[in-house]
Amino acid sequence: MVHRSRFLHQSIYLLLLFIVCCFDASSQSGFYVLGGATTAGFARAGTTLKGISAMYTNPAGIAESKGWAFDASVERRFGLADLQNVSMAVTKKLKLGTFGILASQFGYSEFNEQKIAFAYGRQLSKTVNIGGQFDLLSNHISTIGSTNTFTFEIGAQIKISKALTLATHIFNPTRSKLSDVSTLGTRFRIGLQYNPSDKVALIGEIDKLEYRAIDYKLAVLYRPSKMISIRIGASPTTHSYGLGLGFTFSDKYHVNTAYLTHQTLGSTPAVSLQYQEK
């Protein structure tokens, strides 16, 4: 009876993961959805992010980090403990550029995915950032076993003007696979950010994952004060909508919270704790 109950538990969650894949391309894997509250509040838009948050979305953005930076993020996808994503990242600014390390885990004991990454970002000029990242990806299913693969990511951010930034990011351009029957796919994103003032940022992003329809995202960042930031995001293609609040203390410590909703699958709460030297 115990073995039968355990098999039923595994089957239910594998079925749930399959349903998640079918309904929401952006939530199909822990490899694609990282960053906790910072990106959740933007409905997963993130190619134009800078600083430690860019470790999860575009390595070019870490080029503008100062000194040491640290991020710890947790999100409970659709409110389910077994679909929890935990991630940590550290960056350090040196003369040669900014170096970063990332580690994340998505899932539970019977099904989980891990990502370990090493990133590098550099400012080529006052208007151009570039970055690259090597990834070790692991997938574990208790009834099947574990698989591992290597891949990489590249990105760039270009300041077209003082108020306008263009960003691009490519994940897995080599089309690496976890196995003969499990492909990661190549992911291409392009984002545009417009800052009409120091308090407001308007973000648009196109996200194309191989074998999936194009995902369009819109987001707004509003800073009513130096201590508070508000994030709003929408992804009409996947019917996902995000709301986030950020709090800054002593210009170095940041706490970000977010609530991402999906009209079919439910809501995802997230929180990120960050430290950034100035």
Side-chain angles (χ1 to χ4, degrees):
M1 287 294 292
V2 175
H3 177 74
R4 186 174 181 179
S5 175
R6 182 182 178 186
F7 177 77
L8 179 61
H9 180 80
Q10 295 175 0
S11 300
I12 290 173
Y13 272 96
L14 288 175
L15 177 61
L16 176 60
L17 287 167
F18 174 77
I19 293 173
V20 169
C21 293
C22 292
F23 273 106
D24 188 0
S26 69
S27 298
Q28 67 173 325
S29 171
F31 300 139
Y32 307 113
V33 184
L34 296 174
T38 307
T39 57
F42 286 147
R44 306 299 189 191
T47 54
T48 61
L49 288 176
K50 295 179 175 64
I52 185 64
S53 297
M55 273 295 297
Y56 302 111
T57 58
N58 187 351
I62 69 173
E64 297 193 30
S65 294
K66 306 294 183 182
W68 285 99
F70 171 80
D71 175 283
S73 296
V74 179
E75 69 172 48
R76 182 163 290 189
R77 205 164 305 171
F78 314 120
L80 299 174
D82 288 341
L83 295 183
Q84 184 165 280
N85 198 335
V86 179
S87 52
M88 298 180 66
V90 178
T91 61
K92 173 61 176 176
K93 181 82 168 185
L94 299 173
K95 289 184 179 181
L96 296 176
T98 303
F99 296 84
I101 300 175
L102 179 156
S104 71
Q105 176 168 303
F106 165 69
Y108 68 116
S109 59
E110 307 299 334
F111 172 90
N112 56 75
E113 297 173 340
Q114 296 90 32
K115 178 177 181 177
I116 298 175
F118 301 91
Y120 173 75
R122 183 177 178 85
Q123 289 184 285
L124 294 183
S125 67
K126 293 183 179 180
T127 60
V128 179
N129 298 335
I130 61 170
Q133 183 170 300
F134 289 98
D135 301 331
L136 169 61
L137 308 178
S138 302
N139 177 284
H140 172 76
I141 300 176
S142 61
T143 55
I144 299 176
S146 300
T147 56
N148 305 279
T149 192
F150 289 94
T151 189
F152 69 95
E153 309 174 32
I154 54 175
Q157 295 175 339
I158 303 172
K159 295 179 182 178
I160 300 174
S161 68
K162 184 177 180 180
L164 194 63
T165 299
L166 175 68
T168 62
H169 175 256
I170 302 175
F171 168 79
N172 191 33
T174 57
R175 303 182 68 187
S176 298
K177 297 181 179 181
L178 281 169
S179 67
D180 292 337
V181 296
S182 178
T183 180
L184 292 169
T186 299
R187 184 187 188 190
F188 174 78
R189 293 183 295 160
I190 182 168
L192 194 65
Q193 179 171 318
Y194 174 62
N195 294 75
S197 72
D198 293 337
K199 291 186 176 183
V200 178
L202 307 177
I203 301 168
E205 188 168 295
I206 298 174
D207 188 342
K208 180 63 174 78
L209 178 61
E210 192 174 4
Y211 311 123
R212 298 283 180 173
I214 295 177
D215 185 8
Y216 302 93
K217 304 169 186 177
L218 298 172
V220 178
L221 171 65
Y222 174 58
R223 297 186 181 92
S225 71
K226 291 184 178 180
M227 293 185 60
I228 300 174
S229 59
I230 301 171
R231 299 177 179 85
I232 300 174
S235 173
T237 308
T238 59
H239 308 290
S240 298
Y241 305 91
L243 175 64
L245 291 175
F247 304 92
T248 299
F249 307 93
S250 303
D251 292 330
K252 293 183 179 181
Y253 303 94
H254 309 271
V255 178
N256 295 309
T257 61
Y259 201 67
L260 183 66
T261 64
H262 187 282
Q263 68 175 17
T264 304
L265 298 173
S267 300
T268 298
V271 61
S272 297
L273 306 177
Q274 297 181 342
Y275 170 79
Q276 176 74 70
E277 282 188 348
K278 296 293 183 180

